[in-house]
Amino acid sequence: DGGITQSPKYLFRKEGQNVTLSCEQNLNHDAMYWYRQDPGQGLRLIYYSQIVNDFQKGDIAEGYSVSREKKESFPLTVTSAQKNPTAFYLCASSISGGAPLHFGNGTRLTVT
Amino acid sequence: AQTVTQSQPEMSVQEAETVTLSCTYDTSENNYYLFWYKQPPSRQMILVIRQEAYKQQNATENRFSVNFQKAAKSFSLKISDSQLGDTAMYFCAFMKLSTGTASKLTFGTGTRLQVTL
């Protein structure tokens, strides 16, 4: 079955460490996205990408980095520069403009 | 920048009753898409309904329908014959079409809906 796989489901890190969240899709979608979800704030866009080797900053990109070396993969790195990294992170993909986004199951990151 | 406002943080409805969730948005664009997503306790984001701004007809998906008022920039979701499985967080979202880059989806802060017996 086609879908979006995010791993791991739960991730724990010590403050000051970089951590990479995985996102893989087999839907053959061109566009991929990363969102952050905090209680009471809905989903906020971190980075998005339309094609391989090209990506744009979203509304809250500071402290995060991404890569898009393959169409299927869009990993997100949470760096030590991110002041409040503890959150629920959602990856999504879309076939084209106007089409709905399909979401993965999310990764809950806890930094202590 | 586009903004999406959901003014009802929490709502409650009895099983089999009808409930309406409100959403307003702010944009200067003429061509865009609007969505309602549902997030149950599993936290999986599930598409409920999609509306194209150039279509005057309101979208409908089974028990879910929208009231799209383009001039008022309003996009409410009506759930008929509410079921316990409808208990979830509901997010309204706006998508402006972009050329050359992926189209961004902007979300509201959500409405938590509780369906009771």
Side-chain angles (χ1 to χ4, degrees), chain A residues 58-99:
Chain A
D59 303 315
I60 56 164
E62 185 176 350
Y64 299 98
S65 66
V66 293
S67 63
R68 187 88 187 272
E69 296 177 2
K70 299 185 300 182
K71 185 176 182 177
E72 305 78 26
S73 178
F74 192 43
L76 173 75
T77 296
V78 184
T79 75
S80 55
Q82 167 53 231
K83 291 184 173 60
N84 297 296
T86 294
F88 186 63
Y89 291 87
L90 283 158
C91 179
S93 70
S94 173
I95 192 166
S96 65

Side-chain angles (χ1 to χ4, degrees), chain A residues 38-76:
Chain A
D38 296 283
Q41 296 198 45
L43 279 70
R44 293 182 290 167
L45 183 63
I46 305 173
Y47 269 98
Y48 59 110
S49 167
Q50 176 64 31
I51 57 173
V52 172
N53 293 325
D54 187 45
F55 44 83
Q56 288 76 41
K57 293 182 179 180
D59 303 315
I60 56 164
E62 185 176 350
Y64 299 98
S65 66
V66 293
S67 63
R68 187 88 187 272
E69 296 177 2
K70 299 185 300 182
K71 185 176 182 177
E72 305 78 26
S73 178
F74 192 43
L76 173 75

Side-chain angles (χ1 to χ4, degrees), chain B residues 24-38:
Chain B
T24 59
Y25 57 94
D26 185 25
T27 185
S28 58
E29 301 292 326
N30 191 51
N31 190 20
Y32 51 87
Y33 293 81
L34 294 162
F35 303 85
W36 279 97
Y37 278 87
K38 165 184 175 180

